[in-house]
Each structure stands twice: as C-alpha cells, then as structure tokens.
Amino acid sequence: MAGKFSTLKMLLIFAISLCLLALGAADLKRRLAITYQSASVEIGHALLSERDRILAHQLDASVPALELSSSLVAIQLRAREAKQHLEGVIASSFGRLLFDEHQWHRIKQEFYDEAYLLLEEMENNTRLNVARTFLEHNIQNLLLAESGGEHTDVPMLTELFQQGAIETAEQNSQTLIRYVGLYNQLKQSQSDSNQIILGENLVRLIDENEHFWFDVVASSSSDVDLALALLLLMLFIYLLVDNRARLLLIGSTLAKLEQRTKEANAANEAKSLFLASMSHELRTPLNGVLGIAQVMASGECSAKQQREYLDVILESGNHLMSILNDILDFSKVEQNRLELEEVPFTLKALLAPIHSTFSSLVEEKHLALQFNVDVDDQYCYLGDAARLRQVVYNLLSNAIKFTERGEVHFSVSSGMMVGNKRALNFVIKDSGIGIPKDRLDSIFDPFVQAEGSTTRRFGGTGLGLAIVRRLIMMMNGEISVTSEPGVGSEFRFSVALPELPKEQLQQRSLDIQVLPQDLSILVVEDNRVNAMVMTKFCQRLGHRCSVVENGRLALEVLAERGFDVIIMDNHMPEMNGIDATRAIRQQLGLDTLIFACTADVFEQARDEFIDAGANHILTKPLQEAAFSEALALFSDRLPNNQDLPEPPTTTAQEPPQLTPANDSLADEQIFADNDALDDDEVRVESDAFDSGLLVDSGVLVDSEEQVESQVSEQANASDDNEPLPEDQLTWQVLMDIADQEADIALELAEAIVTSFDEYLGQLQPAFEQRDWELLHRIAHSIKGSAGNFALDYLSHCASEVVDAAISEALTEPQLQAFIALVERNRQVAQGLIDQHRQ
Amino acid sequence: MPTLARWTAIMAIMVLAGFGYALHFYQQHAYVSSFPPLHTDHHHAEHTEGEHAEHEDEHDDVQHEGTEHSTIMTSPLVKPLRSLEVENIPLVHLGWRLFNDPKLSSNGAVSCANCHHLDSHGSDPLPLSVGVGGLGERNSLTVFNVSNNHRFFWDGRALTLQDQMDGPVHHPKEMDSSWAEIVEYLSSSPEMEQAFAQANLDDIDEASVKLALTRFMEALITPPSDFDRYLLGDEQALTVAAKQGWQHFQELGCVVCHQGENIGGSMLQRFGYYNEDAIGTDLGRFNETGLESDRFVFRVPSLRNVAKTAPYFHDGTVTELEEAIRIMARVQLGIELDPLVVVELSAFLHSLNSQRPAILEVLENGG
C-alpha cells in the first residue's frame, strides 16, 4: 500500500518537475520573444519614421541628407545586430527545441532581407533627391534667366519648357533639353522609389513582423499559464494523494491499535477467567491438604488414620502439581517458548508408559481400554516424543475421566506418506458424557470446559485441550473432535513425521524415557541405614538389589556373578570405593556400569572416581531424577526391555525379605552371606504415579513439619526440656524411605538407634586415643545417615567433625557437642520406635 | 527504486539545473542592443525641427559670443572636428603595433600602414596600392578621422570599422590572410602576447585584435585645421580666397554631399550624373548589391586633408586637385567652373589640411 503510494508520489513529483521545467522553458521563450518583439517594433517604427523624413526631404530639404543617411546606417546596424542574435537562437539546439524553426527562418528572411532592401531604397531615394535638387537648381537658373523670373516652381517651368512656352537661346536650349531629359529620368526614378517605399510592402512587413512576435509572445504566455495551471493541478493532486496516504496510514494504525486493544482485552478476560477458575481449582486440593493437616494437628491419630490422611494430602498435592504443570506448559506454549525436539523414537516406546499408566486406572473405574497400534514397528519417527506422549496422555486421561462406564478406545494407524513424512492418525474414542454441539468449537480454547459444571464434577484446569491443540499445531498436525452428548466423544488427530528405518534409532536418546527395568544392582555401602535406603529406592524403581559392606566384599561378589549396575560408596572400611572401582576395572576386567555415589562435593573426589573407571558420579543423598537420568544416559549399555511391559500388578508388591534382627543387626549376618543376597533381591513393581514420591517428600515434610514437631515435642516432653535442634528425625521421612511400610520404617529407626549407639560408644575412646582415622570414618557415616533422613543440622555438624578430624584439630567441646547431638537424635529415633511400635 | 526524499532531491536538482540553463540561455540570446536607441519620433516634424532649431541656436550663440559682427559663414551641414582624449593608451599602442605589423599578412610583408601611411596623411600616394597579390582595385582612403564616417570603403559596403577590417585582411590582393592565421601568429609571439597582456586583453582572438585596431583608428583624429579654427570663430584663420572658396562650396551645392565633420565620408551618391563618360568601368556599389539603382554609386569621400591625399577618385586617376574640382563640377553639377572659382575652391580645400594626429607622435616616441 505504502509502496503504491510512494510510486504514485514519485510519478507526481516527476510530473511536477516536468511542469516546472516546461514553465521555465515557456517563460524563457516569452522573455526572449519580448526582446525580439521590441527590437523589431523599434526597427519597424524607425523605418516608418525614416520614410516619412525622406519623403518630407523631397519637398523641403530642411533635414540634412547626411543625417538621413546616418539614420539609415543606424537602423541597418540595429537590424543586422538583431538578425545575428536571432540566428544565434535558431542555430542553438535549445532554441530549435523552443521555437518553430521554419517560422523563425521565414521571419528572419522576410523581415530583415526586405528591411535591407527598403533601407537601400531609402538611401537611393535620398541621393536621387539630392541629384534632383541640383538639377532643378540648374534648370531653374537657366529658365529663370529666360522667362524673366515669373515662375519659380521647377516642375511648372519644366512643363512650360516642354510645351514650348518658354523660348530659350540656342546654346542654352541644347543644355536645357539634356537637363530636362535627365530631370524627367530622375523624377521617374524617384517616383518609382517613392512607390516602393510608400507601397504596401513596408507596412505589411512591419505588421506581419509585429504580429508574428505578438503571436509568439501570446502563445508562450499561454504556455506559461498552462504550465502553471498544470503545476498547480499536480501539486493539488500530490497533496490529495499525500493526504490520502496519511489517512490510510492513520486508519491502519488505528485498526492495528484496535486489534491490539482487543487482543489485550481478550487476554485480560482470559486471565480473569483463569484466575477465577484457578482460585477454585487451586483452592480445592489446597483445602484438602490444609484441612487434613489441621485434623492431624488437632490430635493423635492411629497409624492407619495417618496413612489415610497422608493419602489424601498426597493426592491433593499431586493434583496441585499437575495443575501447576499444566499452567506452566500452557504459558510456555502460549508464549512460543516451547521448542520441539527432533529425536528418533519408536511408537512402541512412546506408548508403553501410557499403556501401563492407564491400564490400572481403567481397571479401577471398571472400564475397558482398547489399545490398537496399527503401525509397522520396522520404522521409527523423528519428532518430539515427550510432547507427543503428552498429547496422547492428556486426551486419554480426559477420555477416562469423563467416562463413567463402557469403554475407552485408543488407536494409532499410519496414513499417507508425503515426501519422507508419514502421517500418523490417532483416534481416542470414549463412551462418556460427550460434549454439547454448541461447545465443540470452543473446546480447544484455554480455560474452557464443555460446561461450567464440568469443572465442578470432574475438576481440571481447562488447559489440557488447549495445550494439546497448540502442541499439535506446532507439529503441523491437525486435531478434530466429534461428539454426541450422552453417547461419547471422539478425538482424532494426525501428525506427519519423518519416517526412518529402525536401525537409525539412537539408543542413547534421553527423551525416550523408557528406562530399563528389572536391573540387577549391586550396592556397595558400609552404612547400614544408607544401604537400606538405597535398596528401597532401587526396589521402588523396579530393580533387584544386593548390598555389600565394602569394596573387598564387592570384589568377591562380582567375581562370582555379574550385575547390571554397581552403586559404589567411597568411604568404606577395608577397601574404599575408588580402590574398589579400580580393582573391578583392572583386576576383574569388568566393564559393568559403576555409578559412584559420594557425599563429597569437591571436584577432586569425583575426578579420582572417574580416573579409577567409574562411569558416572551421583551425589548423596540419592535423588531419583539424577539416578533415572544416569540410567537413561547409559541405557544403551543396559539390557533393554523390548516388549511392552505387562500391565503392572499392584498386588505384586511384597515386603522386602530383609532379615529382621531386633537384638543384633550385625552386618555380616545380613549382607556378608552371598547366598542370602539372592533371597534379598526383591522385585517391586512400582506405580509410575508414585514415582515422584521421594522428590515430593521434601515438600510434604515441610508442610508436615509443624504437625510432626508437635508430635515430637509430645514424645520428648518427658525426657528433658532443653531446646531441640532445628531439624530432627521424623516418622514421615522414615515412612517415605520405607515406601509407607510401617514395619520397615520401624526397622530403619531401630537401625539408626543401633548404629548411633555403636558410634557413641566409639567416638569418645577414639578421641582419647587420637585415632583421627576412626573419628573421621564414624563422623562420615553419621553424616551419610543424616543426609538420608533429611537431618541437615546433624549432617552439617558431622561434616564439621569430619573436617576437624582430617586436620586433627578436633576439640573436646566440639566432640562433646557432637556426641550430645547424636545422642539426641538417637533418642528421637528411639521415641519414634516407642511411639509406632504399638 | 530510490526513496521518495531522494527522488524529490534528484528532481529538484534537475529543475534547478534546467532553470540555470534557461537563465544562461536567456543572457546569451536575449536581444539587447549595443547601440543607442533609434529615434522613432522624427515624424513629429515640428518637434524635430524645433529641436534642430534649438541646436542651431545654441551653436549660433556660441559663435556669436566670441565673434560679434563677424562675417564668418557657418553652415548647419559642416561642423568642426571634435577633439578626442585618448583614454586607453596601452590598447591604442597595441592597435598601432598591429597596424604596423606586416606579419599580419600572408607573405609577412604587407601591414595596414603599407597602404595607409601614418607618417603623412593616412593614405597612399599611389593611385592603386600594392598588396600581397599586387595592385589593388581602388585608391587607398585615408585612415585619419575615419571614425567620423558612417560608411566605409569606396562603395560604402561596411557600416563599422570592425566590418571594414575584414576587407583588406581577407582580400587576396591586399593582405590575403584570415583572422585565424593572425590570431595563430599573435599567439605564437611572446612579444605580442605581452603587448596584449599590457593592454588588459585576456584572450588573443579576432574580437580583441579588432578592438585594439578600432581603438587605434578612433584615436586618429587630426588636430584642428585652419577651417576648423575659422568655424570656431577665428576669422583670420582663412585667407580671402579660401573664404571665397567656402562661399562657392556652399552655393554650388558641394556641401549637400560633402557635409558633416568629415566634410563627406558617409553618404552614398551616384558618380557622373551629367557625364557618364568620365566614370570608367567600375560599377561601384552595384558590384556589392546588384541593385540597378546602385550602378556607379560610390561613397562620398571626406575632403579633410584632400590637398595632401592625391591622387583622386576611386581609381586614383586624377593627380591634380584643381582637375579633380573641375571634374566634380562637370559630372556631378553639370557646370563648367570659372578658373577663379576653381582656384578659390582649391584654396578652401587647402584650408582643410591639418597636422598628423597628435597621438601618433606619442606612439612613435614609445607610448
């Protein structure tokens, strides 16, 4: 638009410039013509006046002949000058452009040439006049003498003489006859000359010339006017166009602003709506958390009740989490900050976790879930598997959520091949409540659910489908929905992804979170509590776990049988982790994965581990995310489960076959026996939903802290009233580690009491003997345990003692304080045991 | 595609350039005359006559003041020479050098002064002068007082001195050269270049050469003759015979053609009204214009220094002044003069003799 206007403006400016130039040219022509006009008028009038003077001279020679002659010369000089100027104009190329050359040649030729002739004629006339005067003088003299002076008029005398009226002497007669003949001749010449200069020629010439110049001036003046008018017109048009362009610009700017305002208003409305629904959404689960927490805080409750309450809190927390995740996802998608990855994946790997997740859910609701995968598994696809899985997950969870009875049908089929891209068609069909027709269009808008009441009945943020649609659009796919209220809904979407042969699938892909399961893991850890925690942890992730106490024992075990992964602690008696790792690599020549697990935050220890041959460093306390990531990182070196996992069975969970040893928890009894290790391997099928438990526990502990501390206070009220350290062992932490098994939690607590008793017994003597090495080891063990049970303060004090022991600068008061702290923690653990044993 | 602003600027420059060219063109080609305006009001006869009368009265007053009761015969047709102050001496000096420079001719031997003798009377004592190509066709006219003439050459074909110069320069029998050759010669001579620079002439070209020569010739005004002194009131300046001759000169009608400051020199007149036999074969102005009325028409020559500038007439065939007077009376007036009248006329004509122009002394003495 602007381009068109500027082209038009340029054309107009060009036209205006041309008009200006034309104006200048026309004005130049006019001015030039005026100078020639005035010259020719002057010359013409001079010619006329000169003619009059010459004619007057014939009657009365009052004007000297020389003056007449010099006037003629002056006129001729002037005419010649003007003619030369005119020739200059005609000769120049610009002059030819300005003027009609032929006309000018004509006027030059006619006017000046004839003017020259007339001037010659006038000159001639003058001299004839002079000669005639002399002749008259002579004749007069002769005749006057004869006629006696009667007549003085020469023509009259001549007439009389010719008629013979005047008698003359013989001698004079001859002369007179000759003179009169000459006189008549001269008279004739002069009258001829007079006729020429008096003739039409001169007047016509002057008139024509003046008219010519007048016409030239007039026409060039009208040209000037025309050019001026055109110029003004062009200027006017230019102003109009400019005005129009500006108006349009303003208009489009206004429209843009209006659009922006609309968008802003819409966004604002959406935000208000969102806030309204969010406050409801967030409030509901929050109420659950707070309400239950208050109930728990208000009084004592049984372990069973507590378990139920915690379940409610967990569920509410998870719900909150999913809501927050949705919001986060949605805002990412909305702000286009989400970037899709391009990683090869197989459909099977994509769908396996979904299938396993929903199978149990469907079973709980007594629905039938049909899972049809009609895609050739020879191929893998290039795309963002996690996001695609999220889409399927959202749609499926919606389908299940809104379906009370009947079945949920999921199918994938490969469609057309376009280029190197294969269309994948997904269909999710349910027999749920359906969506009213008038809401179908807006179902994918954010914060919209089919009905306001839907939110109340089924919960949810209303963001799920919006996210789904955005994600599919980002993948250049399409989604559509058909639905009939009361009968069910059918969501169809398709995405086109590049298809590759399966060989190109890169095993190490991190995004494909198909973690290997059912691994055999060897935990090398001297701290019994830590070992227990790790065992539980691994079991929860679905792996089998064996524990040995130190590096040397680990070497013995490894010499006999292989493991998939070894988790190696560093500080251990007999043989530390680094040495053990080096021995495994060099003496046994095994390339088993070794994850070093250390509480050392210094780079040096890590480097030593890597140098010794460890594949990866994990930081204590062990985090699931870090562990899973590590497993994923090395998934290509782990046995992969090729088939879709069987639907997980929640019933398969069995209590670990740890040998209960209430009186003596000797390590040897439990771990040293190799045969027993096999029995200890516990397979735990875990529910994917609960996998976030350990991570979430931190949050939960915080929220529970108050409750728990009240409990602890009550528990410790009888012992002494001294102020407790900021953190202390809580039942919740134990329960989490024990996977909500109260028995195991108790075992853990007992293990803590036992090991702390042991350490307390060793600390003082070791200090007295200045056995820094032993002090260091004990403090380190305590630090490791404290880390596992979220006892930050204890962990901190322990690491101080470790440092002091290394530098051999441990002081008596510091040790005493530390002993007191350990003692207090032991007492708390004992309190918990007493409290929960019932 | 240029931006709008750039395009506007381009167009503005184009328009300004166009206007500039138009202004230049106007200054070059607009007709502005270099001559004084022509008198176009002569047909108001009364006014003109009145003006003339006034002039004459003034003239008379001047004369009367000094010469009360004088018998001086004045005529409105003959005026004393006006003296001239030479303003630009270097330019005139340059003109003098050019005038005397024979290298202006094709053979390097003929200067202007060859035929116009500056040391005597500005003309040639030979009937026909000798130029590059041998004898010329007409008698050399004097260059003294030449600027008072309106027409030049015997046939009056040139109207200005500048035009006149073209004649002898190009004539194959005279200098047989061209302005280009002259300019080339002058440009190659350091001496002349210096002279041009001294005369404040930037370029050596046809116009500057002509200007220098013109200014030089304009400066060649002779000192007052006896007759001039007489006209200005000195009754004793003329002899009785000369006074008688002046009387005859007017009464016979000689003054009708020989009038003005130069006593002739401007008008055209047919030669030999009364006796065509004496004329010879030269058709005069007819050769130039081809007009029948111009047959035998010649310019009326100036009579100043006429006694010194023999031989006479266009073909230089008459060597005696008195013979020339008689011929003129015979062929132009149709009368045979009384010998006494011829003597008296001759005495009058001798009173028109004067010294060389004073500027020549100055120039010959080195400026």
Side-chain angles (χ1 to χ4, degrees), chain A residues 20-155:
Chain A
L20 271 171
L21 286 177
L23 183 73
D27 194 53
L28 173 68
K29 185 178 172 182
R30 190 176 64 87
R31 284 164 190 274
L32 280 177
I34 283 173
T35 65
Y36 290 107
Q37 185 191 28
S38 63
S40 63
V41 165
E42 193 183 2
I43 291 165
H45 283 232
L47 273 173
L48 279 176
S49 109
E50 200 59 26
R51 184 192 66 179
D52 293 349
R53 285 216 297 172
I54 287 164
L55 291 175
H57 189 256
Q58 289 176 13
L59 306 173
D60 160 28
S62 63
V63 181
L66 178 65
E67 199 181 313
L68 293 176
S69 177
S70 60
S71 284
L72 288 172
V73 168
I75 295 171
Q76 198 170 349
L77 280 173
R78 177 64 72 91
R80 196 180 68 169
E81 192 185 38
K83 185 185 172 186
Q84 278 169 356
H85 262 92
L86 195 54
E87 274 168 349
V89 176
I90 297 170
S92 73
S93 53
F94 189 56
R96 276 203 293 276
L97 195 77
L98 280 183
F99 301 107
D100 181 357
E101 198 184 342
H102 298 293
Q103 255 185 320
W104 283 53
H105 271 303
R106 191 178 64 81
I107 207 71
K108 186 192 81 173
Q109 225 70 33
E110 284 192 5
F111 179 69
Y112 292 104
D113 288 1
E114 292 208 26
Y116 284 168
L117 285 178
L118 282 166
L119 282 166
E120 288 291 337
E121 198 55 51
M122 287 181 192
E123 179 71 40
N124 184 34
N125 201 302
T126 316
R127 62 181 180 253
L128 283 174
N129 205 35
V130 169
R132 188 182 55 84
T133 315
F134 280 122
L135 205 50
E136 277 178 7
H137 191 65
N138 287 343
I139 292 170
Q140 201 177 9
N141 283 347
L142 284 170
L143 288 180
L144 277 179
E146 301 295 331
S147 65
E150 286 172 33
H151 303 284
T152 51
D153 185 39
V154 174

Side-chain angles (χ1 to χ4, degrees), chain A residues 6-7 9-11 13-14 16-18 20-21 23-25 28 31-32 35-36 38-39 42-43 45-46 48-50 52-53 60 62-67 69-82 85 88-89 92-95 98-99 117 120-121 123-124 126-128 130-131 134-135 137-138 175 178-179 182 185-186 238, chain B residues 1-5 7-8 11-12 14-19 21-23 25-43 48-49 52 56 76-77 150-151 157-160 163 251-257 259-261 264-270 273-276 285 289 291 293-295 297 332-335:
Chain A
S6 83
T7 311
K9 278 188 189 174
M10 280 189 194
L11 280 176
I13 286 172
F14 184 68
I16 288 169
S17 308
L18 285 186
L20 271 171
L21 286 177
L23 183 73
L28 173 68
R31 284 164 190 274
L32 280 177
T35 65
Y36 290 107
S38 63
E42 193 183 2
I43 291 165
H45 283 232
L48 279 176
S49 109
E50 200 59 26
D52 293 349
R53 285 216 297 172
D60 160 28
S62 63
V63 181
L66 178 65
E67 199 181 313
S69 177
S70 60
S71 284
L72 288 172
V73 168
I75 295 171
Q76 198 170 349
L77 280 173
R78 177 64 72 91
R80 196 180 68 169
E81 192 185 38
H85 262 92
V89 176
S92 73
S93 53
F94 189 56
L98 280 183
F99 301 107
L117 285 178
E120 288 291 337
E121 198 55 51
E123 179 71 40
N124 184 34
T126 316
R127 62 181 180 253
L128 283 174
V130 169
F134 280 122
L135 205 50
H137 191 65
N138 287 343
T175 318
R178 200 160 57 90
Y179 279 12
L182 196 58
Q185 207 183 318
L186 277 177
Y238 181 83
Chain B
M1 206 66 173
T3 62
L4 195 60
W7 180 251
T8 312
M11 287 295 124
M14 200 182 84
V15 167
L16 284 178
F19 280 10
Y21 182 73
L23 191 66
F25 191 86
Y26 179 76
Q27 283 169 351
Q28 216 172 21
H29 292 289
Y31 175 58
V32 182
S33 178
S34 55
F35 299 105
L38 296 169
H39 296 290
T40 54
D41 53 353
H42 290 309
H43 52 278
T48 311
E49 277 174 19
H52 270 277
E56 280 159 26
L77 305 179
H150 294 136
R151 286 189 167 90
R157 63 180 185 271
L159 299 179
T160 62
D163 292 346
E251 282 171 2
L252 287 171
C254 308
V255 78
V256 174
C257 292
Q259 54 179 276
E261 274 179 88
S266 290
M267 287 175 64
L268 298 174
Q269 194 50 274
R270 187 173 158 189
Y273 275 115
Y274 297 92
N275 192 347
E276 293 181 9
R285 194 169 166 80
T289 63
L291 293 171
S293 58
D294 278 342
R295 197 179 285 271
V297 169
Q332 295 300 101
L333 301 173
I335 49 173

